Amino acid sequence: MERKPKILVIGSLVMDQIVITKEIPQEGRRVFAEDFVKTPGGKGANQAVQAARLGADVTLIGKVGRDINGEELLQACQEEGVDTSKMLYDEDGASGCAVIILEKVPGERRRNRIFVISGSNMKIRPEEVEFLKEDISRYDMVMLQNEIPLEVNETAVRFACEKGVPVMLKPAPVIRRLPREFIRHLTYIAPNEQELRAMTGVIINRKRGIFNYEEAKVASAIMRSKGYANILTTLGESGALLDATDKTIYKKAAPNTEVVDPTAGSDSFLGAFCTRICMGDSRGQALTFANYAAAITISRMGVLSSLPTTEEVVKLLEANGRSYF
Ligand code: RIB
């Protein structure tokens, strides 16, 4: 039997409010949107739930308000078996929420635009995670994103480094100047193309759906010169490229994926990648598994509810002629 890895996610819990529309109104105009969905999300919660659904033993640390959104966010994570016993509370502020505009133009690729109202997520203080100094050694991997204060991430990364625990950072939203010491202690950084562009200035072009490998390598080289070790770029329908310190590995996306809602696609990818790496997969295997997990997520409407189980990912791999185990 595979080992059940222990993953610590420190990050955001956000109540997502998705407006599904065929049209974005011009200034001073209104349009009828097609639908509205309210659903728990936030990069921290999404990554935690994805890892839990794939068999990891997950602890999520974040901060929620004492409000209905906070209650629902915690409940959604707990129902998936995520340990929220170390959760922090903002006694008088609101939980984080987001407005997501999902553009559903007939015949076009679905796009989303996200406004995050941080609320309690940005109120975590570094001293509130001091207890991790020793405790962090219990975990096989730490997953971080940029939807909580940088000082909290810095504290966690320092502790993880002291205990030799690998760290994955999703640089969303992008913080342009990160301290060199922090960068040096990250095991993986996982930008998407837009984030990589904001961090390096490099645009990765595509010709007939195939991304320009040389441009991606140039971007990775710039990242390396800034001190990053393993650069994992998620390329949407083109798959994922891991430019590691010892070698470069590229894995294609799952074929024929119909994108219904791209929200949480990269969270799903990273939750899956980290879980599979901790379970002992090779990096190539973990990339393929993560590509297929993300393909399922974006083929469904919703956020937490769209994240797949191991059985679903394996089924899709097998349907595409890939035996995984
Ligand atoms: O990555 C998707 C997530 O980003 C959404 O759930 C939203 O809350 C934002 O944090």
Side-chain angles (χ1 to χ4, degrees):
M1 205 179 99
E2 278 163 341
R3 209 173 69 76
K4 203 170 166 64
K6 283 186 163 301
I7 295 184
L8 172 64
V9 182
I10 309 176
S12 59
L13 294 92
V14 176
M15 187 54 77
D16 290 342
Q17 294 154 105
I18 311 175
V19 178
I20 303 153
T21 181
K22 289 200 177 92
E23 208 186 327
I24 306 284
Q26 299 294 318
E27 187 190 344
R29 296 281 182 84
R30 76 212 59 227
V31 297
F32 286 114
E34 201 166 276
D35 210 348
F36 173 80
V37 180
K38 183 182 165 201
T39 170
K43 292 191 193 311
N46 298 344
Q47 293 182 4
V49 168
Q50 180 61 94
R53 278 200 188 151
L54 297 176
D57 187 347
V58 185
T59 300
L60 172 61
I61 299 178
K63 195 178 245 190
V64 291
R66 299 273 187 195
D67 51 14
I68 186 72
N69 281 348
E71 262 172 47
E72 287 177 12
L73 285 161
L74 283 187
Q75 196 188 341
C77 295
Q78 287 159 357
E79 279 169 3
E80 298 296 334
V82 172
D83 177 2
T84 60
S85 60
K86 298 188 171 69
M87 193 59 59
L88 304 162
Y89 294 89
D90 182 358
E91 294 302 332
D92 29 52
S95 300
C97 63
V99 175
I100 302 180
I101 313 292
L102 177 62
E103 220 183 322
K104 196 179 164 192
V105 181
E108 282 186 27
R109 191 172 57 83
R110 301 239 171 129
R111 284 183 288 251
N112 66 8
R113 295 175 168 82
I114 305 182
F115 299 93
V116 178
I117 300 96
S118 299
S120 51
N121 291 301
M122 276 296 173
K123 293 199 193 156
I124 311 178
R125 285 174 279 112
E127 58 270 28
E128 290 177 306
V129 295
E130 272 295 320
F131 70 92
L132 286 171
K133 191 170 175 47
E134 293 305 320
D135 199 56
I136 210 159
S137 61
R138 297 197 300 116
Y139 299 97
D140 297 305
M141 175 93 82
V142 175
M143 300 184 70
L144 303 171
Q145 326 79 37
N146 284 340
E147 291 185 337
I148 60 170
L150 172 61
E151 299 72 33
V152 174
N153 278 350
E154 282 184 289
T155 306
V157 164
R158 202 175 60 244
F159 293 161
C161 177
E162 280 167 14
K163 301 290 181 195
V165 181
V167 179
M168 163 70 77
L169 174 72
K170 168 71 180 166
V174 170
I175 298 175
R176 275 170 207 279
R177 278 177 209 282
L178 286 172
R180 190 88 186 179
E181 186 73 355
F182 175 73
I183 292 174
R184 206 168 57 78
H185 289 158
L186 297 172
T187 315
Y188 295 99
I189 178 109
N192 63 19
E193 282 165 82
Q194 291 77 26
E195 289 149 4
L196 191 64
R197 178 182 177 178
M199 295 172 93
T200 63
V202 176
I203 300 173
I204 303 174
N205 289 294
R206 280 188 170 67
K207 218 184 223 167
R208 288 188 287 277
I210 298 169
F211 77 100
N212 187 312
Y213 184 80
E214 293 312 317
E215 287 166 352
K217 289 289 288 178
V218 169
S220 297
I222 295 174
M223 292 292 278
R224 184 74 41 70
S225 72
K226 290 174 189 272
Y228 292 100
N230 300 299
I231 302 117
L232 171 50
T233 306
T234 51
L235 295 154
E237 71 270 25
S238 297
L241 181 73
L242 174 59
D243 215 325
T245 47
D246 57 337
K247 65 171 170 176
T248 302
I249 310 170
Y250 167 66
K251 293 290 174 188
K252 283 188 189 152
N256 309 320
T257 305
E258 194 206 333
V259 182
V260 172
D261 178 2
T263 314
S266 61
D267 300 329
S268 173
F269 178 94
L270 294 178
F273 179 80
C274 291
T275 303
R276 295 306 313 183
I277 285 287
C278 293
M279 282 178 167
D281 279 8
S282 69
R283 289 169 297 179
Q285 284 174 317
L287 285 175
T288 298
F289 193 94
N291 276 332
Y292 278 67
I296 296 173
T297 299
I298 64 175
S299 70
R300 296 168 171 171
M301 183 63 216
V303 186
L304 284 192
S305 58
S306 62
L307 304 169
T309 60
T310 304
E311 293 67 35
E312 289 171 319
V313 182
V314 170
K315 203 168 151 204
L316 182 63
L317 284 159
E318 287 174 353
N320 284 283
R322 290 168 165 267
S323 69
Y324 194 72
F325 298 104

